[in-house]
Amino acid sequence: MTVEQSLDLASLGAGIATGLGAVGAGLGLGIATKGVLDAIARQPEIKAEAFKNFIIGAGLAEATAIYALFIAIMLVFK
């Protein structure tokens, strides 16, 4: 395996890692948003608590995408 082939495989792995991380974060945030809106629609009095929990969960979902980006950068620049 040549150096050029190794760099091509690293770039491919970086693209896959970033893509899966972004898709996972997007799906997670979409499902979480739907759940919060459904909960608030059923019980409007829990709006503040549900929104607070949603923000914490959204931060965790975004952290997944950031980790995927970090792994992709490590694969490209190793």
Side-chain angles (χ1 to χ4, degrees):
M1 179 178 287
T2 65
V3 174
E4 288 180 9
Q5 289 173 334
S6 177
L7 289 176
D8 288 342
L9 290 177
S11 297
L12 177 64
I16 291 171
T18 305
L20 290 176
V23 167
L27 286 173
L29 285 173
I31 292 169
T33 302
K34 178 191 177 298
V36 166
L37 292 176
D38 285 345
I40 292 172
R42 289 188 182 126
Q43 294 179 333
E45 65 274 4
I46 66 163
K47 180 180 179 182
E49 184 70 23
F51 184 72
K52 181 178 74 171
N53 290 333
F54 169 73
I55 292 298
I56 293 170
L60 292 172
E62 286 298 322
T64 306
I66 292 170
Y67 290 143
L69 178 62
F70 178 70
I71 290 171
I73 291 171
M74 286 180 56
L75 285 172
V76 171
F77 294 112
K78 71 173 188 161

